[in-house]
Amino acid sequence: ISTNLQLQKTITRLSSRFRINQSGDDAAGLAVANSYRSTQAILNQGIRNANDGLSTLQIKDSALNNVGNLLDRLASLSPQSASAGFTGSRTVLNNEFQDVLTEITREVTSAGLNAAQGFSVFIEAGGSGAVGGSIGAADTTTLGVSALSVATDTGAQAIVTAITAAVAELGQ
């Protein structure tokens, strides 16, 4: 019987890859091992949480980059229409301007940037355990470009200043 118990204990150790599998093997050692296993599980989940948080931030960063590019396009349409010597169609310019505003709205809505929000990622037990921050809204209203139009040269002149301010706001 003793040989069978020892064989069974050895097989259990080999199959589990743990020297201590039950309190009869080493009660104090089992408590320490269980503590380490628990800590390892928490840290592994913290790594997954950090990766999820990083992915979310990368999506938002990419959307903000796209909004910046769209604001650059608005910034080039505005002075073009603001020029008194412009001989093209301000209606065509304004249509493109409005389409770019619509695209900014679509971009910030799909990325969840249409309202200011905080974020928090739980990483580990102990200390604060969480890393977080906040992301401001980047919608056309917050950026101050929602009701703008380049249909007239005087309106377009005012927009050049608004677009410059919006670009500066996005960069903060």
Side-chain angles (χ1 to χ4, degrees):
I1 293 179
S2 175
T3 305
N4 282 339
L5 289 175
Q6 289 294 35
L7 179 61
Q8 193 172 24
K9 186 185 281 190
T10 302
I11 290 172
T12 302
R13 285 180 179 169
L14 286 172
S15 62
S16 70
R17 298 179 317 165
F18 298 126
R19 183 183 70 80
I20 305 168
N21 291 294
Q22 56 190 1
S23 59
D25 295 338
D26 180 357
L30 181 62
V32 171
N34 284 341
S35 171
Y36 287 148
R37 283 186 212 135
S38 175
T39 300
Q40 181 182 11
I42 290 168
L43 291 174
N44 284 338
Q45 184 60 51
I47 290 168
R48 288 190 293 272
N49 290 350
N51 286 333
D52 290 347
L54 180 61
S55 294
T56 300
L57 289 175
Q58 286 172 335
I59 289 168
K60 292 182 185 304
D61 180 56
S62 187
L64 288 171
N65 186 43
N66 289 343
V67 169
N69 290 337
L70 291 167
L71 287 171
D72 288 345
R73 181 60 186 150
L74 293 179
S76 67
L77 290 171
S78 303
Q80 186 178 1
S81 181
S83 174
F86 177 67
T87 58
S89 171
R90 284 194 174 84
T91 302
V92 171
L93 283 180
N94 191 53
N95 287 343
E96 183 179 351
F97 191 90
Q98 298 308 315
D99 288 344
V100 172
L101 289 176
T102 300
E103 180 59 18
I104 289 173
T105 299
R106 188 198 66 76
E107 187 80 37
V108 299
T109 300
S110 66
L113 293 168
N114 49 348
Q117 58 188 296
F119 69 92
S120 177
V121 177
F122 182 81
I123 297 179
E124 63 152 331
S128 69
V131 176
S134 63
I135 300 172
D139 61 321
T140 56
T141 302
T142 303
L143 295 173
V145 296
S146 64
L148 301 179
S149 168
V150 292
T152 65
D153 60 339
T154 55
Q157 290 169 4
I159 290 173
V160 172
T161 304
I163 297 296
T164 304
V167 170
E169 177 69 25
L170 190 62
Q172 290 183 357

